[in-house]
PDB file of all heavy atoms in Angstrom:
ATOM      1  N   ALA H 950       0.824  -1.208   0.000  1.00 65.00           N
ATOM      2  CA  ALA H 950       0.000   0.000   0.000  1.00 65.00           C
ATOM      3  C   ALA H 950       0.861   1.263   0.000  1.00 65.00           C
ATOM      4  O   ALA H 950       0.366   2.341  -0.307  1.00 65.00           O
ATOM      5  CB  ALA H 950      -0.934   0.003   1.199  1.00 65.00           C
ATOM      6  N   THR H 951       2.143   1.145   0.359  1.00 75.00           N
ATOM      7  CA  THR H 951       3.024   2.314   0.357  1.00 75.00           C
ATOM      8  C   THR H 951       3.773   2.330  -0.970  1.00 75.00           C
ATOM      9  O   THR H 951       4.662   1.523  -1.197  1.00 75.00           O
ATOM     10  CB  THR H 951       4.018   2.296   1.532  1.00 75.00           C
ATOM     11  OG1 THR H 951       4.785   1.107   1.462  1.00 75.00           O
ATOM     12  CG2 THR H 951       3.313   2.358   2.856  1.00 75.00           C
ATOM     13  N   SER H 952       3.406   3.237  -1.819  1.00 86.00           N
ATOM     14  CA  SER H 952       4.016   3.320  -3.135  1.00 86.00           C
ATOM     15  C   SER H 952       5.422   3.894  -3.037  1.00 86.00           C
ATOM     16  O   SER H 952       5.809   4.483  -2.024  1.00 86.00           O
ATOM     17  CB  SER H 952       3.166   4.210  -4.035  1.00 86.00           C
ATOM     18  OG  SER H 952       3.186   5.535  -3.546  1.00 86.00           O
ATOM     19  N   ALA H 953       6.173   3.746  -4.105  1.00 87.00           N
ATOM     20  CA  ALA H 953       7.528   4.301  -4.145  1.00 87.00           C
ATOM     21  C   ALA H 953       7.469   5.822  -4.026  1.00 87.00           C
ATOM     22  O   ALA H 953       8.330   6.432  -3.384  1.00 87.00           O
ATOM     23  CB  ALA H 953       8.212   3.892  -5.445  1.00 87.00           C
ATOM     24  N   GLY H 954       6.443   6.427  -4.619  1.00 90.00           N
ATOM     25  CA  GLY H 954       6.288   7.882  -4.530  1.00 90.00           C
ATOM     26  C   GLY H 954       6.061   8.338  -3.097  1.00 90.00           C
ATOM     27  O   GLY H 954       6.627   9.333  -2.651  1.00 90.00           O
ATOM     28  N   LEU H 955       5.236   7.592  -2.367  1.00 92.00           N
ATOM     29  CA  LEU H 955       4.970   7.920  -0.965  1.00 92.00           C
ATOM     30  C   LEU H 955       6.242   7.789  -0.132  1.00 92.00           C
ATOM     31  O   LEU H 955       6.560   8.664   0.675  1.00 92.00           O
ATOM     32  CB  LEU H 955       3.879   7.009  -0.404  1.00 92.00           C
ATOM     33  CG  LEU H 955       3.638   7.066   1.105  1.00 92.00           C
ATOM     34  CD1 LEU H 955       3.213   8.461   1.535  1.00 92.00           C
ATOM     35  CD2 LEU H 955       2.597   6.047   1.509  1.00 92.00           C
ATOM     36  N   ARG H 956       6.987   6.706  -0.337  1.00 90.00           N
ATOM     37  CA  ARG H 956       8.223   6.515   0.432  1.00 90.00           C
ATOM     38  C   ARG H 956       9.236   7.610   0.127  1.00 90.00           C
ATOM     39  O   ARG H 956       9.883   8.136   1.027  1.00 90.00           O
ATOM     40  CB  ARG H 956       8.808   5.136   0.150  1.00 90.00           C
ATOM     41  CG  ARG H 956       7.992   4.010   0.778  1.00 90.00           C
ATOM     42  CD  ARG H 956       8.712   2.685   0.717  1.00 90.00           C
ATOM     43  NE  ARG H 956       9.096   2.285  -0.626  1.00 90.00           N
ATOM     44  CZ  ARG H 956       8.348   1.558  -1.433  1.00 90.00           C
ATOM     45  NH1 ARG H 956       7.173   1.137  -1.045  1.00 90.00           N
ATOM     46  NH2 ARG H 956       8.774   1.243  -2.640  1.00 90.00           N
ATOM     47  N   ALA H 957       9.361   7.982  -1.144  1.00 91.00           N
ATOM     48  CA  ALA H 957      10.294   9.043  -1.516  1.00 91.00           C
ATOM     49  C   ALA H 957       9.863  10.384  -0.921  1.00 91.00           C
ATOM     50  O   ALA H 957      10.696  11.154  -0.428  1.00 91.00           O
ATOM     51  CB  ALA H 957      10.392   9.155  -3.033  1.00 91.00           C
ATOM     52  N   TRP H 958       8.549  10.654  -0.945  1.00 94.00           N
ATOM     53  CA  TRP H 958       8.031  11.904  -0.380  1.00 94.00           C
ATOM     54  C   TRP H 958       8.309  11.964   1.122  1.00 94.00           C
ATOM     55  O   TRP H 958       8.725  12.979   1.648  1.00 94.00           O
ATOM     56  CB  TRP H 958       6.523  11.982  -0.636  1.00 94.00           C
ATOM     57  CG  TRP H 958       5.856  13.138   0.018  1.00 94.00           C
ATOM     58  CD1 TRP H 958       5.779  14.414  -0.447  1.00 94.00           C
ATOM     59  CD2 TRP H 958       5.175  13.142   1.278  1.00 94.00           C
ATOM     60  NE1 TRP H 958       5.084  15.198   0.450  1.00 94.00           N
ATOM     61  CE2 TRP H 958       4.712  14.446   1.514  1.00 94.00           C
ATOM     62  CE3 TRP H 958       4.922  12.155   2.226  1.00 94.00           C
ATOM     63  CZ2 TRP H 958       4.011  14.785   2.656  1.00 94.00           C
ATOM     64  CZ3 TRP H 958       4.219  12.494   3.362  1.00 94.00           C
ATOM     65  CH2 TRP H 958       3.769  13.802   3.559  1.00 94.00           C
ATOM     66  N   ARG H 959       8.089  10.838   1.812  1.00 92.00           N
ATOM     67  CA  ARG H 959       8.299  10.802   3.258  1.00 92.00           C
ATOM     68  C   ARG H 959       9.760  11.048   3.617  1.00 92.00           C
ATOM     69  O   ARG H 959      10.073  11.732   4.589  1.00 92.00           O
ATOM     70  CB  ARG H 959       7.850   9.472   3.846  1.00 92.00           C
ATOM     71  CG  ARG H 959       7.904   9.482   5.369  1.00 92.00           C
ATOM     72  CD  ARG H 959       7.749   8.110   5.943  1.00 92.00           C
ATOM     73  NE  ARG H 959       8.792   7.195   5.575  1.00 92.00           N
ATOM     74  CZ  ARG H 959       9.956   7.066   6.222  1.00 92.00           C
ATOM     75  NH1 ARG H 959      10.224   7.814   7.248  1.00 92.00           N
ATOM     76  NH2 ARG H 959      10.839   6.180   5.824  1.00 92.00           N
ATOM     77  N   GLU H 960      10.669  10.522   2.821  1.00 92.00           N
ATOM     78  CA  GLU H 960      12.095  10.730   3.096  1.00 92.00           C
ATOM     79  C   GLU H 960      12.489  12.194   2.953  1.00 92.00           C
ATOM     80  O   GLU H 960      13.428  12.642   3.596  1.00 92.00           O
ATOM     81  CB  GLU H 960      12.946   9.874   2.169  1.00 92.00           C
ATOM     82  CG  GLU H 960      12.895   8.406   2.529  1.00 92.00           C
ATOM     83  CD  GLU H 960      13.636   7.540   1.534  1.00 92.00           C
ATOM     84  OE1 GLU H 960      14.303   8.098   0.637  1.00 92.00           O
ATOM     85  OE2 GLU H 960      13.541   6.309   1.660  1.00 92.00           O
ATOM     86  N   ARG H 961      11.782  12.935   2.124  1.00 94.00           N
ATOM     87  CA  ARG H 961      12.094  14.363   1.934  1.00 94.00           C
ATOM     88  C   ARG H 961      11.526  15.245   3.045  1.00 94.00           C
ATOM     89  O   ARG H 961      11.909  16.401   3.154  1.00 94.00           O
ATOM     90  CB  ARG H 961      11.559  14.839   0.587  1.00 94.00           C
ATOM     91  CG  ARG H 961      12.291  14.267  -0.600  1.00 94.00           C
ATOM     92  CD  ARG H 961      11.911  14.975  -1.892  1.00 94.00           C
ATOM     93  NE  ARG H 961      10.488  14.984  -2.153  1.00 94.00           N
ATOM     94  CZ  ARG H 961       9.824  14.094  -2.871  1.00 94.00           C
ATOM     95  NH1 ARG H 961      10.477  13.065  -3.392  1.00 94.00           N
ATOM     96  NH2 ARG H 961       8.536  14.201  -3.076  1.00 94.00           N
ATOM     97  N   GLN H 962      10.627  14.694   3.855  1.00 94.00           N
ATOM     98  CA  GLN H 962       9.993  15.495   4.903  1.00 94.00           C
ATOM     99  C   GLN H 962      10.909  15.619   6.119  1.00 94.00           C
ATOM    100  O   GLN H 962      11.701  14.734   6.405  1.00 94.00           O
ATOM    101  CB  GLN H 962       8.668  14.861   5.343  1.00 94.00           C
ATOM    102  CG  GLN H 962       7.681  14.652   4.229  1.00 94.00           C
ATOM    103  CD  GLN H 962       7.452  15.908   3.417  1.00 94.00           C
ATOM    104  OE1 GLN H 962       7.051  16.924   3.945  1.00 94.00           O
ATOM    105  NE2 GLN H 962       7.721  15.828   2.126  1.00 94.00           N
ATOM    106  N   ARG H 963      10.768  16.745   6.822  1.00 94.00           N
ATOM    107  CA  ARG H 963      11.530  16.923   8.059  1.00 94.00           C
ATOM    108  C   ARG H 963      10.984  16.011   9.144  1.00 94.00           C
ATOM    109  O   ARG H 963       9.808  15.625   9.108  1.00 94.00           O
ATOM    110  CB  ARG H 963      11.442  18.376   8.526  1.00 94.00           C
ATOM    111  CG  ARG H 963      12.217  19.327   7.656  1.00 94.00           C
ATOM    112  CD  ARG H 963      12.402  20.672   8.342  1.00 94.00           C
ATOM    113  NE  ARG H 963      11.182  21.170   8.955  1.00 94.00           N
ATOM    114  CZ  ARG H 963      10.448  22.158   8.465  1.00 94.00           C
ATOM    115  NH1 ARG H 963      10.806  22.763   7.364  1.00 94.00           N
ATOM    116  NH2 ARG H 963       9.351  22.552   9.088  1.00 94.00           N
ATOM    117  N   ARG H 964      11.813  15.717  10.121  1.00 92.00           N
ATOM    118  CA  ARG H 964      11.406  14.865  11.234  1.00 92.00           C
ATOM    119  C   ARG H 964      10.217  15.505  11.965  1.00 92.00           C
ATOM    120  O   ARG H 964      10.245  16.687  12.273  1.00 92.00           O
ATOM    121  CB  ARG H 964      12.567  14.704  12.199  1.00 92.00           C
ATOM    122  CG  ARG H 964      12.265  13.770  13.350  1.00 92.00           C
ATOM    123  CD  ARG H 964      13.495  13.637  14.233  1.00 92.00           C
ATOM    124  NE  ARG H 964      13.319  12.600  15.236  1.00 92.00           N
ATOM    125  CZ  ARG H 964      12.755  12.801  16.417  1.00 92.00           C
ATOM    126  NH1 ARG H 964      12.317  13.993  16.754  1.00 92.00           N
ATOM    127  NH2 ARG H 964      12.635  11.811  17.278  1.00 92.00           N
ATOM    128  N   GLY H 965       9.200  14.709  12.193  1.00 93.00           N
ATOM    129  CA  GLY H 965       8.040  15.199  12.913  1.00 93.00           C
ATOM    130  C   GLY H 965       6.999  15.892  12.060  1.00 93.00           C
ATOM    131  O   GLY H 965       5.963  16.315  12.574  1.00 93.00           O
ATOM    132  N   SER H 966       7.247  16.029  10.759  1.00 94.00           N
ATOM    133  CA  SER H 966       6.264  16.719   9.923  1.00 94.00           C
ATOM    134  C   SER H 966       5.094  15.809   9.547  1.00 94.00           C
ATOM    135  O   SER H 966       3.996  16.293   9.303  1.00 94.00           O
ATOM    136  CB  SER H 966       6.919  17.285   8.664  1.00 94.00           C
ATOM    137  OG  SER H 966       7.377  16.242   7.844  1.00 94.00           O
ATOM    138  N   VAL H 967       5.309  14.519   9.509  1.00 95.00           N
ATOM    139  CA  VAL H 967       4.216  13.591   9.221  1.00 95.00           C
ATOM    140  C   VAL H 967       3.444  13.330  10.507  1.00 95.00           C
ATOM    141  O   VAL H 967       2.227  13.464  10.555  1.00 95.00           O
ATOM    142  CB  VAL H 967       4.745  12.264   8.633  1.00 95.00           C
ATOM    143  CG1 VAL H 967       3.627  11.254   8.484  1.00 95.00           C
ATOM    144  CG2 VAL H 967       5.409  12.509   7.295  1.00 95.00           C
ATOM    145  N   MET H 968       4.154  12.976  11.560  1.00 95.00           N
ATOM    146  CA  MET H 968       3.537  12.745  12.864  1.00 95.00           C
ATOM    147  C   MET H 968       4.595  13.041  13.924  1.00 95.00           C
ATOM    148  O   MET H 968       5.733  12.599  13.799  1.00 95.00           O
ATOM    149  CB  MET H 968       3.067  11.293  13.000  1.00 95.00           C
ATOM    150  CG  MET H 968       2.411  10.993  14.325  1.00 95.00           C
ATOM    151  SD  MET H 968       1.981   9.251  14.503  1.00 95.00           S
ATOM    152  CE  MET H 968       0.512   9.164  13.495  1.00 95.00           C
ATOM    153  N   ARG H 969       4.205  13.791  14.930  1.00 95.00           N
ATOM    154  CA  ARG H 969       5.153  14.110  15.999  1.00 95.00           C
ATOM    155  C   ARG H 969       5.549  12.842  16.754  1.00 95.00           C
ATOM    156  O   ARG H 969       4.711  11.958  16.953  1.00 95.00           O
ATOM    157  CB  ARG H 969       4.530  15.085  16.978  1.00 95.00           C
ATOM    158  CG  ARG H 969       4.331  16.446  16.424  1.00 95.00           C
ATOM    159  CD  ARG H 969       3.802  17.347  17.510  1.00 95.00           C
ATOM    160  NE  ARG H 969       3.462  18.642  16.970  1.00 95.00           N
ATOM    161  CZ  ARG H 969       2.512  19.401  17.443  1.00 95.00           C
ATOM    162  NH1 ARG H 969       1.796  19.002  18.473  1.00 95.00           N
ATOM    163  NH2 ARG H 969       2.260  20.571  16.905  1.00 95.00           N
ATOM    164  N   PRO H 970       6.791  12.753  17.197  1.00 95.00           N
ATOM    165  CA  PRO H 970       7.210  11.582  17.970  1.00 95.00           C
ATOM    166  C   PRO H 970       6.365  11.373  19.230  1.00 95.00           C
ATOM    167  O   PRO H 970       6.087  10.231  19.618  1.00 95.00           O
ATOM    168  CB  PRO H 970       8.666  11.888  18.334  1.00 95.00           C
ATOM    169  CG  PRO H 970       9.127  12.842  17.295  1.00 95.00           C
ATOM    170  CD  PRO H 970       7.924  13.650  16.921  1.00 95.00           C
ATOM    171  N   GLU H 971       5.922  12.482  19.855  1.00 96.00           N
ATOM    172  CA  GLU H 971       5.086  12.351  21.054  1.00 96.00           C
ATOM    173  C   GLU H 971       3.754  11.690  20.712  1.00 96.00           C
ATOM    174  O   GLU H 971       3.226  10.891  21.492  1.00 96.00           O
ATOM    175  CB  GLU H 971       4.795  13.723  21.688  1.00 96.00           C
ATOM    176  CG  GLU H 971       6.014  14.558  22.016  1.00 96.00           C
ATOM    177  CD  GLU H 971       6.458  15.423  20.842  1.00 96.00           C
ATOM    178  OE1 GLU H 971       5.640  16.186  20.306  1.00 96.00           O
ATOM    179  OE2 GLU H 971       7.634  15.336  20.488  1.00 96.00           O
ATOM    180  N   THR H 972       3.204  12.035  19.554  1.00 96.00           N
ATOM    181  CA  THR H 972       1.932  11.454  19.128  1.00 96.00           C
ATOM    182  C   THR H 972       2.093   9.960  18.883  1.00 96.00           C
ATOM    183  O   THR H 972       1.251   9.157  19.283  1.00 96.00           O
ATOM    184  CB  THR H 972       1.422  12.142  17.850  1.00 96.00           C
ATOM    185  OG1 THR H 972       1.374  13.549  18.076  1.00 96.00           O
ATOM    186  CG2 THR H 972       0.055  11.641  17.453  1.00 96.00           C
ATOM    187  N   PHE H 973       3.205   9.589  18.233  1.00 96.00           N
ATOM    188  CA  PHE H 973       3.488   8.176  17.974  1.00 96.00           C
ATOM    189  C   PHE H 973       3.563   7.413  19.300  1.00 96.00           C
ATOM    190  O   PHE H 973       2.955   6.351  19.460  1.00 96.00           O
ATOM    191  CB  PHE H 973       4.803   8.041  17.201  1.00 96.00           C
ATOM    192  CG  PHE H 973       5.075   6.657  16.699  1.00 96.00           C
ATOM    193  CD1 PHE H 973       4.637   6.257  15.453  1.00 96.00           C
ATOM    194  CD2 PHE H 973       5.775   5.743  17.468  1.00 96.00           C
ATOM    195  CE1 PHE H 973       4.893   4.982  14.981  1.00 96.00           C
ATOM    196  CE2 PHE H 973       6.031   4.466  17.019  1.00 96.00           C
ATOM    197  CZ  PHE H 973       5.592   4.090  15.768  1.00 96.00           C
ATOM    198  N   ALA H 974       4.290   7.986  20.269  1.00 96.00           N
ATOM    199  CA  ALA H 974       4.440   7.341  21.576  1.00 96.00           C
ATOM    200  C   ALA H 974       3.100   7.242  22.296  1.00 96.00           C
ATOM    201  O   ALA H 974       2.812   6.233  22.964  1.00 96.00           O
ATOM    202  CB  ALA H 974       5.450   8.107  22.416  1.00 96.00           C
ATOM    203  N   LYS H 975       2.275   8.276  22.163  1.00 97.00           N
ATOM    204  CA  LYS H 975       0.964   8.275  22.819  1.00 97.00           C
ATOM    205  C   LYS H 975       0.079   7.163  22.251  1.00 97.00           C
ATOM    206  O   LYS H 975      -0.575   6.442  23.009  1.00 97.00           O
ATOM    207  CB  LYS H 975       0.295   9.637  22.632  1.00 97.00           C
ATOM    208  CG  LYS H 975      -1.002   9.795  23.399  1.00 97.00           C
ATOM    209  CD  LYS H 975      -1.443  11.239  23.424  1.00 97.00           C
ATOM    210  CE  LYS H 975      -2.434  11.494  22.317  1.00 97.00           C
ATOM    211  NZ  LYS H 975      -2.993  12.845  22.339  1.00 97.00           N
ATOM    212  N   ILE H 976       0.100   7.001  20.932  1.00 96.00           N
ATOM    213  CA  ILE H 976      -0.692   5.942  20.296  1.00 96.00           C
ATOM    214  C   ILE H 976      -0.177   4.583  20.750  1.00 96.00           C
ATOM    215  O   ILE H 976      -0.958   3.669  21.048  1.00 96.00           O
ATOM    216  CB  ILE H 976      -0.638   6.069  18.755  1.00 96.00           C
ATOM    217  CG1 ILE H 976      -1.349   7.337  18.309  1.00 96.00           C
ATOM    218  CG2 ILE H 976      -1.243   4.843  18.083  1.00 96.00           C
ATOM    219  CD1 ILE H 976      -1.141   7.689  16.858  1.00 96.00           C
ATOM    220  N   GLU H 977       1.148   4.474  20.840  1.00 96.00           N
ATOM    221  CA  GLU H 977       1.764   3.221  21.279  1.00 96.00           C
ATOM    222  C   GLU H 977       1.336   2.876  22.719  1.00 96.00           C
ATOM    223  O   GLU H 977       0.979   1.730  23.012  1.00 96.00           O
ATOM    224  CB  GLU H 977       3.282   3.381  21.208  1.00 96.00           C
ATOM    225  CG  GLU H 977       4.035   2.120  20.959  1.00 96.00           C
ATOM    226  CD  GLU H 977       5.495   2.360  20.686  1.00 96.00           C
ATOM    227  OE1 GLU H 977       5.949   3.522  20.627  1.00 96.00           O
ATOM    228  OE2 GLU H 977       6.198   1.358  20.550  1.00 96.00           O
TER     229      GLU H 977
END
């Protein structure tokens, strides 16, 4: 479900721009 375009786009994003680390930890 994760296309090559999506993976490439995500790599170009700054850390925390997709989801904050705190949010990830909270969901976990």
